Amino acid sequence: MTAPAAQPFAEKLLTVLPPVEVAGRWIKRYHVTADPAGIAPEVARAAHAVLPGLLPEPDGTPPAAFTVLHRGGDDGAYLNVYSWVWDNVLHFRGAAAGQPVLGCPDDDPTHFVPTDRPWIGCVWELPPILHERDAWVRHMLAPRAPEVPDLAAYLADSAAEGTTGGRS
């Protein structure tokens, strides 16, 4: 597999959706796309359907995760699932659709398959990770009350909507 030719960086839009419960775990959701109309509902539904198979087994850590669903500029759609495990560790699993070079069987952006690559995200998918790390520390591990993690406060604390490249 050859890497694609480098393209100049162009902003994409970051949208925050309300958390949902999936397989006993609360999931904060982010969408990334260049399309102002957002991600097509059928692509979002297909990503949601594959999500349970990408979650780790419960280990006693408060059941929380966040996803980044990214619709690329071609047929590709990418689902990154980041789950909190072992108290303070971020577990990653991903799936892709419409991208044969990543093992997808076709170019259908609703046909998600798990990927086995160790990639954690592209430049447009990474901004939520910084926010989520800080929110986890703030609400779940903060020194003022580590014995009383506040999962509800963590779930209510999402990155700001806007663009993906304007953070520094």
Side-chain angles (χ1 to χ4, degrees):
M1 172 175 76
T2 358
Q7 302 285 323
F9 182 81
E11 291 284 356
K12 290 193 179 184
L13 303 171
L14 180 67
T15 305
V16 179
L17 288 83
V20 294
E21 188 175 6
V22 175
R25 193 176 288 264
W26 284 99
I27 313 293
K28 295 167 75 171
R29 301 176 297 156
Y30 296 96
H31 284 184
V32 172
T33 182
D35 187 346
I39 292 179
E42 61 273 13
V43 173
R45 279 192 300 274
H48 187 81
V50 75
L51 179 56
L54 301 174
L55 297 170
E57 291 295 319
D59 70 352
T61 301
F66 62 97
T67 62
V68 178
L69 177 58
H70 179 186
R71 186 61 204 263
D74 53 13
D75 291 327
Y78 313 94
L79 176 63
N80 297 342
V81 181
Y82 307 96
S83 301
W84 291 104
V85 298
W86 213 38
D87 188 45
N88 59 17
V89 173
L90 201 52
H91 172 279
F92 171 79
R93 289 286 316 273
Q99 191 60 264
V101 73
L102 295 181
C104 299
D106 51 42
D107 61 0
D108 180 352
T110 66
H111 190 182
F112 282 90
V113 295
T115 60
D116 61 358
R117 302 202 193 270
W119 304 346
I120 64 165
C122 73
V123 296
W124 295 282
E125 298 160 354
L126 294 176
I129 292 175
L130 177 60
H131 175 85
E132 292 301 322
R133 178 262 180 211
D134 290 347
W136 189 258
V137 169
R138 193 169 33 254
H139 301 294
M140 305 303 288
L141 304 174
R144 69 182 184 281
E147 68 281 356
V148 186
D150 191 345
L151 183 58
Y154 169 73
L155 294 173
D157 187 345
S158 293
E161 289 192 342
T163 58
T164 59
R167 295 158 177 84
S168 55

